[in-house]
Amino acid sequence: GCLFWYYMEMIRDTALDFDELPDVYMDGFFGFIWNSVKSLYLISMVFLVVELPAIIVYQKYGSNFLFITLTIVGCCFFPVGILTISIVGDLVSLFNPVNMIKPVIKAFWPYCIVAALFVLTFELEQKNVEYGSLIGKSKLVIGLNLFANIAIQMLAVFTMRSIGLFYR
């Protein structure tokens, strides 16, 4: 949750012309918990909204092909959904097609690059080794895993900044 909060802060600051990374100020323990829970909730709601057409089609028609197609399309709109919620901060704004579709149509190829970066970062995060599986491994393997984690986070920072730049 804390990582999602920082990603959203990074997108917002980049979109609003701040060229430095945001400070990590969580407002105490309860602020930390609140920001973490809130960002997890918002990210989950964005995912639910962009995947809502796929869910509805599957519930109504049961078509696997249409469901998979709409799921992929929904995942492509996930970065612009995160951008919208980071800037506006209101879940209702996700249901406005002007906020979600118009920017993608206006700058289709730059958005494709942003979406591809997002998918790449997400896939690398999913493929990352769990720390529990490193118990008893050599220091080289542990060090390489740490380096991979840092490299993935650098890619994530680049991706979140790219999402914010898409807004500019």
Side-chain angles (χ1 to χ4, degrees):
C2 179
L3 197 56
F4 287 143
W5 167 81
Y6 192 71
Y7 288 161
M8 291 172 67
E9 288 291 312
M10 197 180 319
I11 291 168
R12 185 181 54 80
D13 282 1
T14 304
L16 300 176
D17 274 341
F18 295 113
D19 287 331
E20 296 179 11
L21 293 175
D23 292 330
V24 179
Y25 179 70
M26 295 300 270
D27 202 23
F29 177 73
F30 292 110
F32 171 77
I33 297 297
W34 171 249
N35 286 332
S36 297
V37 169
K38 183 176 89 171
S39 63
L40 279 173
Y41 170 75
L42 289 174
I43 294 289
S44 300
M45 290 290 93
V46 169
F47 188 73
L48 180 67
V49 168
V50 298
E51 294 301 334
L52 200 57
I55 295 167
I56 291 170
V57 163
Y58 187 73
Q59 290 293 324
K60 188 164 183 154
Y61 302 110
S63 170
N64 281 337
F65 174 74
L66 197 54
F67 173 72
I68 291 170
T69 304
L70 288 175
T71 300
I72 292 169
V73 170
C75 287
C76 290
F77 280 99
F78 192 66
V80 78
I82 294 174
L83 173 65
T84 302
I85 203 72
S86 296
I87 300 299
V88 179
D90 184 18
L91 287 174
V92 177
S93 62
L94 294 174
F95 293 101
N96 186 352
V98 172
N99 291 341
M100 297 290 288
I101 297 172
K102 190 176 180 180
V104 174
I105 292 172
K106 248 181 155 176
F108 181 74
W109 292 113
Y111 184 76
C112 285
I113 293 170
V114 168
L117 279 171
F118 186 83
V119 169
L120 176 66
T121 303
F122 178 78
E123 284 299 317
L124 288 174
E125 286 280 352
Q126 296 302 314
K127 302 278 187 227
N128 201 11
V129 177
E130 293 182 22
Y131 288 112
S133 66
L134 294 175
I135 295 174
K137 300 286 183 179
S138 71
K139 290 182 181 181
L140 177 65
V141 171
I142 293 171
L144 288 173
N145 187 47
L146 178 62
F147 178 74
N149 281 331
I150 292 170
I152 291 169
Q153 288 309 310
M154 289 172 59
L155 179 63
V157 167
F158 182 75
T159 301
M160 297 309 142
R161 301 272 299 172
S162 298
I163 292 172
L165 287 173
F166 181 76
Y167 180 81
R168 283 192 203 177

